[in-house]
Amino acid sequence: MPSTDHKPLLAVTMGDPGGIGPEVIVRAWADPAVHESARLVVLGHPEIMRRAAAHVRSEVEIKPVDSTAALAAAVADVTDAHHMACLTMGDDAVLDAPTGVIDARAGEAAYQAVVRATRGALAGEFDGLVTAPLNKAGLHAAGHWYPGHTELLAELCGVDDFAMMLYLPAEELARQGKKSQAGLGVIHSTLHCAMRDVFDQLTPERIAAKCGLANAVFAEGFGVEQPRIGVLALNPHAGESGLFGDEESRIIEPGVKLAQQSGINAAGPYPADTLLIRAVDGEFDGVVAMYHDQGHIALKLLGMHRAVNITLGLPIVRTSVAHGTAFDKAWSKDADTSPAESTGMVAAIKAASELARRGFHFKTTNAGVIA
């Protein structure tokens, strides 16, 4: 089924059924742009998707697909916003799980959808996957001890060198009056860990590797010639010549030099309170952050509901929305609570389609991953 000669086939995972994922998918499904860019199949429980459609007052018809053998015919029949093919995942126990709270049944359903979509993508059944948000505590309640999607996907794909990139598409920056070659991405050197562990995890080799991942996705995935990668400092004022810490001179600068020696147009470290401003103004394509919130906060302030989460380092295409399960909004009596979040799902589908059309993925090697 998959081919880069026509619209890619993307697997869209339902996420935690008690969260905002199902209704966000339904809202995004109504946007003609997603069907112009890709063929789509949802992986989840059809009844949950029916409930989500009713909740947001959508007339989309949910068409259950009960076997892999029936998938090709079902997807070929679903080419517009009026019908949704849903590959059935999980058992009916999830239908009794309450919404808006952590529940093991919901965590298990979300887990099964991600595993099935990933294995399908690895086997060439799908051109990529787009994931609705799951809840980490829900995963843990179901007995799956992963910090999140990124680490689960890395294990399923058998890679050790990977990174999360939050990405603002070029069209979103243009909407804000900014110019860019192919959007702006923030890549994280460390991810889901305590702040006290960040210092132990940072090494020159790790920083150089993240620069390499950033360079690859912009060069090969988005077609940027010689991407410009800016590297953030860790300490205030980039350490102020050692007054506020020596990690810049001892770890980050050597990492930047390693990246440069491999032919990457990397520069830094630069103070965190100015580099993102320079990047938004078009000076850099990718920014390498030292820890989770250093990158997340800045990019989400620029476009929380229009940003895309792209996992770098995988041999498959994976994108996601940049927000969480929003238990406080999900399945609200006010059915108009999720339109903003649906823009992120539309952006994630379009980004996955672009990467898949280019045939982009990371190839694993014994030494890590290469584009």
Side-chain angles (χ1 to χ4, degrees):
M1 285 183 288
S3 170
T4 55
D5 296 331
H6 58 277
K7 289 192 292 189
L9 174 58
L10 303 178
V12 182
T13 62
M14 180 178 65
D16 191 302
I20 206 169
E23 58 194 275
V24 165
I25 292 171
V26 172
R27 288 193 187 279
W29 207 269
D31 191 325
V34 304
H35 302 284
E36 292 170 3
S37 64
R39 296 172 296 144
L40 307 169
V41 57
V42 173
L43 274 64
H45 200 293
E47 179 57 29
I48 297 292
M49 298 311 301
R50 288 194 188 97
R51 293 176 183 178
H55 178 68
V56 302
R57 298 184 291 273
S58 168
E59 296 182 356
V60 63
E61 180 183 353
I62 312 301
K63 294 190 171 185
V65 182
D66 295 321
S67 68
T68 301
L71 182 60
V75 171
D77 191 44
V78 176
T79 58
D80 57 35
H82 303 294
H83 305 88
M84 179 186 293
C86 182
L87 183 60
T88 304
M89 300 300 306
D91 56 37
D92 291 344
V94 71
L95 300 179
D96 296 323
T99 61
V101 297
I102 297 166
D103 189 277
R105 293 164 292 185
E108 180 63 27
Y111 172 80
Q112 289 186 20
V114 173
V115 171
R116 175 65 180 83
T118 304
R119 289 176 176 167
L122 287 169
E125 185 179 8
F126 307 120
D127 291 302
L129 60 148
V130 181
T131 60
L134 51 71
N135 186 280
K136 284 80 169 175
L139 275 185
H140 294 178
H144 306 295
W145 300 97
Y146 298 94
H149 267 119
T150 305
E151 294 82 0
L152 170 58
L153 289 162
E155 181 176 297
L156 289 170
C157 293
V159 300
D160 296 319
D161 186 7
F162 59 92
M164 173 190 290
M165 181 173 84
L166 287 187
Y167 170 72
L168 270 183
E171 61 183 356
E172 169 57 19
L173 290 173
R175 192 181 71 86
Q176 299 182 23
K178 305 294 185 180
K179 293 182 179 180
S180 70
Q181 297 187 89
L184 173 64
V186 176
I187 301 89
H188 300 75
S189 296
T190 64
L191 194 52
H192 295 125
C193 65
M195 283 295 298
R196 63 171 57 91
D197 296 329
V198 168
F199 295 87
D200 293 333
Q201 292 188 19
L202 286 177
T203 65
E205 293 74 19
R206 175 185 282 256
I207 291 166
K210 304 313 176 189
C211 289
L213 294 175
N215 183 75
V217 73
F218 276 100
E220 304 298 330
F222 293 118
V224 176
E225 185 176 350
Q226 194 68 15
R228 302 154 302 170
I229 310 301
V231 181
L232 285 168
L234 177 66
N235 297 300
H237 299 230
E240 197 72 64
S241 299
L243 292 177
F244 307 143
D246 65 353
E247 284 78 14
E248 282 72 24
S249 61
R250 185 167 52 85
I251 299 174
I252 304 176
E253 286 180 11
V256 172
K257 289 179 180 178
L258 283 175
Q260 293 169 342
Q261 289 167 6
S262 65
I264 296 170
N265 184 13
Y270 296 120
D273 57 353
T274 58
L275 177 54
L276 263 296
I277 296 172
R278 295 167 61 183
V280 171
D281 286 339
E283 190 173 342
F284 298 99
D285 304 296
V287 171
V288 176
M290 295 300 105
Y291 58 91
H292 183 281
D293 283 8
Q294 188 185 49
H296 267 58
I297 293 173
L299 201 79
K300 287 187 175 183
L301 281 172
L302 288 169
M304 169 70 178
H305 297 303
R306 298 175 186 271
V308 179
N309 179 339
I310 303 177
T311 306
L312 307 184
L314 303 181
I316 60 174
V317 170
R318 181 263 174 163
T319 69
S320 182
V321 294
H323 58 79
T325 49
F327 279 161
D328 59 328
K329 293 184 178 181
W331 305 95
S332 166
K333 291 181 180 179
D334 179 1
D336 294 324
T337 57
S338 60
E341 285 83 353
S342 68
T343 62
M345 178 57 72
V346 172
I349 290 170
K350 292 170 69 175
S353 175
E354 181 175 355
L355 293 173
R357 284 176 184 272
R358 291 178 178 273
F360 175 76
H361 62 276
F362 291 85
K363 301 178 181 68
T364 58
T365 70
N366 290 334
V369 296
I370 59 174

